[in-house]
Amino acid sequence: MEMTPETIKALLDAFDRSDWREMVVTVGEDRLHVSRDPLSESSLQAHSAPPAAPAAGSSDSAAAVPVAAGDPPPAPAAAPPAGEPVTGTKIESPSVGLFWRAPAPGAAPFVEVGQSVKAGETVAIVEVMKLMNHVASPVDGVVTAILVENGAAVEFGQTIVVVDPEG
Amino acid sequence: MEMTPETIKALLDAFDRSDWREMVVTVGEDRLHVSRDPLSESSLQAHSAPPAAPAAGSSDSAAAVPVAAGDPPPAPAAAPPAGEPVTGTKIESPSVGLFWRAPAPGAAPFVEVGQSVKAGETVAIVEVMKLMNHVASPVDGVVTAILVENGAAVEFGQTIVVVDPEG
Amino acid sequence: MPLRRVLIANRGEIAVRVIKACFDEGIESVLAVSEADRGSLGAQLADEVVVIGPAAAAESYLDVNRVVAAAQVTGCDALHPGYGFLSERVELSAECEEAGIAFVGPSPEAMRRSGDKATARALAKELDVPINEGSDVIASEEEARGVAAEVGYPVLLKASAGGGGRGMRLVESEAELASAYAQAHGEAQAAFGDGRLFVERYVRHARHVEVQVLGDGEGGAIHVGHRDCTLQRRYQKLVEEAPAYGLSEALEDEILGAARRLIGALDYAGAATCEFLVDPDRGSAGFLEINARLQVEHPVSEMVTGVDVVREQLRIAGGEGLSVSQDDVEIRGHAIEVRINAESPQRDFAPTPGTVTEWAAPAGTDVRVDTACFPGWTIAPYYDSLLAKLIAHGPDREAALARTRQALRHLRVAGVETTAGFALDVLEHPDVVAGRVHTRWVEEEFIPDWSAAHAAAVGEGVA
Amino acid sequence: MPLRRVLIANRGEIAVRVIKACFDEGIESVLAVSEADRGSLGAQLADEVVVIGPAAAAESYLDVNRVVAAAQVTGCDALHPGYGFLSERVELSAECEEAGIAFVGPSPEAMRRSGDKATARALAKELDVPINEGSDVIASEEEARGVAAEVGYPVLLKASAGGGGRGMRLVESEAELASAYAQAHGEAQAAFGDGRLFVERYVRHARHVEVQVLGDGEGGAIHVGHRDCTLQRRYQKLVEEAPAYGLSEALEDEILGAARRLIGALDYAGAATCEFLVDPDRGSAGFLEINARLQVEHPVSEMVTGVDVVREQLRIAGGEGLSVSQDDVEIRGHAIEVRINAESPQRDFAPTPGTVTEWAAPAGTDVRVDTACFPGWTIAPYYDSLLAKLIAHGPDREAALARTRQALRHLRVAGVETTAGFALDVLEHPDVVAGRVHTRWVEEEFIPDWSAAHAAAVGEGVA
């Protein structure tokens, strides 16, 4: 038996509602450890608790955690193939709108998977009523995934591109 | 700030729903520690966590914990004066019905506060449609509280008498 | 005089339903709960709550003494039993009478006479109510064999005291009779403490039709229209409709009149249902039994007539009499009720207790959802698995079916598996749309195909 | 043609209300939510949900581009703005028009003309609609001083573009005029980007009466009766009723006719409300303004007429026209709506965001509860504090008041403090029962006594 999303959610809700500084829950092998004080990256990796836990409190839109976890289902776009979790920095859509990989129809895409990008470099456009929002990578790294098809609809907060800083 | 009943309830619900062996929550001074394995009396007294915690899981109707906490509001009967928690073994009503302190009108009460009782000795009667249910003390000890007035209505599970084994 | 304060000796959606009726009538409601139901929706809505016993129904909802005592110690002047549990126990009606508490239901005598199938059948004969060919109570397997030979196989063995399919056996041929008799007799003895059986001709494509009746306790009775409850699984109703469709006017008049005569003759007070077995091939109806209580499916009758059956129950028990006459009862459109149970259709409808993490009932003007469910509510394993009743109304049966399906699609429930998806598939089946079904259609024709089609999905926890 | 798929650009109870109307009309609903509302009741009930932006309203519910884009990318053919947020922004109506999306509300032109108080007052004059004595838009403090001298103090300074009390000042005497003018002008400029003001005679014991109108967009308009919204606190309505009580038949006819003329003259399509200030002492009414949108209190009009205002909005936007004529509109009984806010009456109605641990709405036949609340829902601090609307109907005002109080007593809410208890005290006050109230009664007469009486209870977290 392991923690179900429901039970984790119930616990985190209780934690959110409380003024507690810290909460530790042990589930057989698993251990959920939440704290209002910053938890070091290492302390997180140390446990098998899902990375959703620390994210739940924060609204950090580019936390360095596996894409597979704690990510709102990227409907209507496709999720990365299960089994092979894409790791890296998630870049999320700044708005509802249409996703464009290139500055203009027919033009070359801003980025391709495997390509290196610099922090501040545009990786895609999200169009909102003719307003072209250029979405930039927050880090230097290598593009490990482009999760939305060109011209498809995206929601706010939906992961559109993943860049691996270690790459 | 301390744990509110709501937050404790939310946590214990999550715990009940889970298969977890153990849960520890730290709240400033307070610490809530629940485990499917028996918790020793001492380990409980050690923390300021409400004794409601261990009771929540079990349906033990005579757990040796302070009466003040984890007790369903004994309406319509009166609760013990706040501030001075009565400690001892809670004896609960086995049914909805009427509470009688004596075997018959005018007869002497079964017990008075301060009186010693032996395990198995009747401390009160709960009448259900003319059926007289004799309620016995589960332990040897001294009666420290009688929480219901003679002839008053009681609910199932309501604490009616408290006996202190250490007395 | 009008009731002032009513103890509700039940739980779940029907407790909430009765609390609502009390609210409407300006009556205080006191809910008797087991320890497991302290946090139920009914407990939140009632004016007062009294814990009568532990979770186990035998020591709470099924304990006559505790229930009546609860009414006494909380100062109630009446007791509503809901359905199931103690609702058809003569003892409860009698104890209330003795305690000076108005029982919201028939007198002990009326309940005794209507509750015993053999007695009811005898009364039906007196009143020229058509009954299904068969025997009165039989004494032995031999006698059963004789009657079966007369009416012809297949026959149905039924418990005289029974209900809900317990003590009931279908006998296809004489060869099966001996073992079937022994099983039914034993089951009836165990379930009702009364092993008596009778024999009935088995109608192959029977439809279950029933009439909602309100008796004034003084020989008067009105009907609130008829219902069709043919869609069942193991004698458990899945879908109910009002009115029953496709009956000839003559047949309608026959069963409506018969139901009124039966309830009137019993000096019956309150809500009752007269069940009939309809043989579409012959176009005939045979009286089966009387249910001396409010029924799960009463809302469909309310939706098509505007009559509030539970409020009328309270009025009758309070001596105020019916607020409507037979002439006021007019059938408008069609209503369908779907029972949504916390069960797994893919695991032979095994109960699925657990915590409902998400619950949002569809919001629609012609849609009514009777339930005690809410987000965070934990379905205990102690009681039945009825989670909600979804009722939809439309100008005709086709529109009502469409609205019901639409509402089912908009129900949001998570945390426990339910029968909502299964029910939707049932309502989309051409045979259901065309009304080409019988009481064993779900088991014999629908479920085999459905299970095959959904075998793949097993374990996915479809809500 | 009839609408097929509607984007709902709002949240809370009104999102749920519009989803229900879409369900009833057989229209698909797509709900645009901020990230904070992913788990809202509306998000659970809608056919589809699209996250348009972060919790901050400025980047979600108040962003015209995102809202219209959401309608486009989800393939909607219409957009319903609800109330508040962008509902009265001409820009939204215009953007929808340009994008080929049917806006469920008036055309940009009709909205512009009705939304600007000065323009609306000018139109009223044309149509011989009685208006409260006062000025058209004034250019300076000097001009204001002149008008005030004419109509006589006290006067009210009002923002021409405004609403909700912003840019509004009561001026008791000439001495106060200068500072009041400066404040009102600045506030109006900040709130609406338009500092223009006008002056109005201030009616001491005024009642707020309004007429619900439905315009067909082609010069036709019907009224759906009038409402009284006199019980307000700082221009925020607390309790609304239909019909408005104690008006002379002549006065009723005057305001009902005036409202129809105004909306008709604007070629207005959809639901609108015409507000009037009623002076009980003179028995006269003066036109105040037009609200070019659905209003929070629309349910009381629905309860007394049976007209579904939101469904009519959808029909009009879909070009189907009204389903009812003026002759069909008949007032039956009386309805009262109470707003239940997540606020602390004892802490000057400070919002009380937090998680609702317990929520059980009273169940009653004549009771309607419009809400997006459910157990476990967390009230975010980003948006307004309206938690639920409790509406009750009765044969007359006295019965409706009694039913409303009874329902309020049966509401169960825990986890956050609400105004339910405060509202109950208001409805029990003799002045309210007798209808002896005016628009400042709550602030000037009720709250002072109430606060004193409840000072003791502060901090107990009354729900």
Side-chain angles (χ1 to χ4, degrees), chain C residues 16-36:
Chain C
V16 173
R17 173 68 187 92
V18 177
I19 288 167
K20 174 171 183 274
C22 289
F23 180 99
D24 290 338
E25 290 291 307
I27 298 170
E28 289 179 347
S29 55
V30 180
L31 185 60
V33 300
S34 78
E35 190 159 46

Side-chain angles (χ1 to χ4, degrees), chain C residues 249-379:
Chain C
E249 213 170 289
L251 196 56
E252 279 192 80
D253 295 345
E254 184 175 25
I255 61 174
L256 293 173
R260 291 180 69 183
R261 289 205 303 283
L262 282 164
I263 299 307
L266 289 164
D267 292 336
Y268 187 106
T273 298
C274 297
E275 295 188 349
F276 296 87
L277 193 78
V278 167
D279 184 340
D281 307 334
R282 299 188 180 189
S284 67
F287 168 73
L288 287 178
E289 61 177 291
I290 295 170
N291 295 319
R293 53 170 166 85
L294 182 66
Q295 275 188 288
V296 175
E297 58 268 29
H298 74 275
V300 288
S301 300
E302 295 182 327
M303 293 279 270
V304 294
T305 61
V307 175
D308 188 314
V309 173
V310 184
R311 288 179 72 167
E312 295 298 332
Q313 282 188 297
L314 295 170
R315 289 180 53 87
I316 294 165
E320 296 173 272
L322 290 161
S323 73
V324 289
S325 72
Q326 188 62 74
D327 297 344
D328 302 327
V329 178
E330 193 191 322
I331 310 296
R332 283 178 302 278
H334 197 89
I336 294 174
E337 169 178 288
V338 175
R339 300 191 191 190
I340 295 161
N341 298 325
E343 296 172 356
S344 171
Q346 282 144 2
R347 290 184 284 106
D348 195 26
F349 294 85
T352 56
T355 296
V356 177
T357 54
E358 208 178 283
W359 176 264
T365 296
D366 305 326
V367 175
R368 163 178 168 182
V369 179
D370 282 16
T371 186
C373 189
F374 58 86
W377 171 241
T378 297
I379 300 160

Side-chain angles (χ1 to χ4, degrees), chain A residues 1-4 6-8 10-11 14 17-28, chain B residues 1-4 6-8 10-11 14 17-28:
Chain A
M1 147 75 198
E2 48 190 60
M3 294 194 199
T4 70
E6 286 79 8
T7 45
I8 289 173
L11 270 174
R17 288 201 297 276
S18 75
D19 289 354
W20 307 336
R21 299 236 51 74
E22 186 171 23
M23 177 169 80
V24 181
V25 181
T26 311
V27 184
Chain B
M1 147 72 198
E2 48 189 58
M3 293 196 199
T4 69
E6 285 78 8
T7 46
I8 289 174
L11 267 177
R17 286 202 299 276
S18 75
D19 288 356
W20 307 337
R21 298 235 54 74
E22 187 171 23
M23 176 169 81
V24 182
V25 183
T26 312
V27 185

Side-chain angles (χ1 to χ4, degrees), chain B residues 12-91:
Chain B
L12 292 177
D13 288 349
F15 186 76
D16 278 350
R17 286 202 299 276
S18 75
D19 288 356
W20 307 337
R21 298 235 54 74
E22 187 171 23
M23 176 169 81
V24 182
V25 183
T26 312
V27 185
E29 295 307 281
D30 299 349
R31 181 148 172 281
L32 172 58
H33 183 176
V34 199
S35 171
R36 298 241 182 255
D37 313 313
L39 291 170
S40 72
E41 201 56 49
S42 59
S43 75
L44 280 170
Q45 311 309 358
H47 315 315
S48 56
S58 77
S59 64
D60 178 2
S61 64
V65 298
V67 169
D71 198 7
E84 42 158 287
V86 183
T87 58
T89 298
K90 299 183 305 178
I91 303 177

